[in-house]
Amino acid sequence: MITLYQFPRAWGLPNGSPFCQKVEAYMRFAKLEYQTKLYDPRKAPKSKLPLIDDNGTLVADSFFILEYLDKTYQVSLNEHLSSEQIAIGNFVERSLEEHLYWKGIYLRWVPEENFQITKEAFFKNLKGWKGLIIPTLVRKTLIKRLQAQGTLKHNPSENDHMAFKVLSSLSHFIGEKKYLFGEQISSFDASAWSFITALISTPHSTKLKEPQKDLPNLGRYAKTIRDEFFPDYNEMQF
Ligand SMILES: N[C@@H](CCC(=O)N[C@@H](CS)C(=O)NCC(=O)O)C(=O)O
């Protein structure tokens, strides 16, 4: 049995971390049997989650986890795709995970009202001094990372503008299609679904929610995948 080590679930989403949600989505697309457990990222081999344990084989990082599962269980979710489509899928995945992800971190952790929402979801079980200090320390660490990565060099409307470009590109790419590449799901939908819902399906206040109005096909896409693969997550908002 595969164990997915991850963060707590939040806001009706399968996970508070889009990377953990991506792995769970992939395993559901691939109809693999798994269980989930909470884990402390500091104990993980790459100090980040997701991490899987497949009968003693540990694999860290969603990219390597999907490659491992594909090879080990002959999942082949992308067999119907051309090399050109696979190339596009890789570019989409990278732009969501290496660019849009940071806009999401900014959104959840920097504006004070949003930080309070994040704190409530991720740290509500911490009691006493831990509940006071740990959320602020995590926030400080993430702010340092956002400065080093570059997101905090831009003002909020510049960041919203950059994130909106990625979302609107994705919206144009999806168009009327059911999944990213048509009628058949691919591994790239695991990433796209997780990063879209990480932005549009949480209670944080953001101009990026406007895509739901301006780019309604993203909400439709998110709901289609929820209905088909995560019907048990009926509290998700689109
Ligand atoms: N490239 C990694 C990124 C994973 C990642 O950034 N995970 C974050 C949560 S979204 C994490 O574990 N952060 C904990 C930390 O950095 O201390 C993947 O694809 O799995």
Side-chain angles (χ1 to χ4, degrees):
M1 164 83 88
I2 303 160
T3 303
L4 166 61
Y5 292 111
Q6 59 177 3
F7 291 99
R9 307 198 186 282
W11 307 303
L13 290 168
N15 208 259
S17 156
F19 292 103
C20 296
Q21 185 172 319
K22 168 188 164 189
V23 172
E24 189 165 3
Y26 179 85
M27 292 197 291
R28 288 200 182 197
F29 297 172
K31 300 190 173 39
L32 298 176
E33 253 190 68
Y34 67 91
Q35 61 179 349
T36 61
K37 284 194 180 159
L38 295 180
Y39 205 72
D40 180 345
R42 291 170 300 179
K43 296 185 186 150
K46 294 186 180 176
S47 309
K48 285 189 188 291
L49 298 176
L51 165 73
I52 60 158
D53 180 344
D54 184 20
N55 294 315
T57 303
L58 290 182
V59 189
D61 194 294
S62 68
F63 177 84
F64 292 109
I65 294 171
L66 266 56
E67 280 201 342
Y68 167 84
L69 294 173
D70 181 47
K71 209 164 148 200
T72 309
Y73 294 97
Q74 287 95 44
V75 173
S76 305
L77 282 184
N78 298 341
E79 257 181 352
H80 62 296
L81 301 181
S82 67
S83 330
E84 190 183 4
Q85 287 174 315
I86 289 175
I88 293 168
N90 281 315
F91 291 136
V92 169
E93 194 171 279
R94 288 307 98 204
S95 71
L96 298 178
E97 299 185 11
E98 310 295 343
H99 179 82
L100 192 66
Y101 169 68
W102 292 104
K103 308 303 176 198
I105 292 288
Y106 170 86
L107 163 76
R108 289 181 180 188
W109 293 89
V110 179
E112 184 56 34
E113 55 171 323
N114 284 348
F115 171 59
Q116 293 306 327
I117 293 171
T118 304
K119 190 169 137 184
E120 166 64 20
F122 291 171
F123 303 106
K124 60 174 177 273
N125 293 329
L126 290 183
K127 302 279 174 268
W129 66 268
K130 285 188 176 172
L132 289 175
I133 290 178
I134 292 176
T136 307
L137 286 179
V138 174
R139 187 189 202 190
K140 273 195 179 149
T141 304
L142 289 171
I143 286 176
K144 274 195 201 141
R145 288 186 196 167
L146 284 165
Q147 272 155 348
Q149 182 271 342
T151 288
L152 275 181
K153 311 280 180 206
H154 310 302
N155 66 39
S157 67
E158 287 173 332
N159 273 317
D160 283 346
H161 179 59
M162 291 166 96
F164 189 81
K165 274 247 155 158
V166 176
L167 287 174
S168 62
S169 303
L170 194 53
S171 164
H172 285 121
F173 185 72
I174 293 173
E176 296 300 312
K177 299 197 291 292
K178 183 174 182 191
Y179 304 125
L180 276 184
F181 293 103
E183 284 298 307
Q184 207 173 322
I185 204 132
S186 72
S187 73
F188 303 113
D189 290 291
S191 182
W193 184 68
S194 302
F195 282 81
I196 290 171
T197 53
L199 281 177
I200 71 172
S201 304
T202 76
H204 300 95
S205 109
T206 168
K207 282 209 167 8
L208 292 179
K209 289 261 167 69
E210 285 167 19
Q212 283 167 279
K213 287 182 234 130
D214 299 346
L215 313 169
N217 66 339
L218 293 186
R220 189 262 306 149
Y221 168 83
K223 187 172 178 312
T224 299
I225 292 185
R226 191 285 306 272
D227 290 351
E228 189 169 351
F229 296 98
F230 286 83
D232 42 334
Y233 283 80
N234 50 19
E235 283 172 18
M236 278 177 76
Q237 305 289 318
F238 301 103

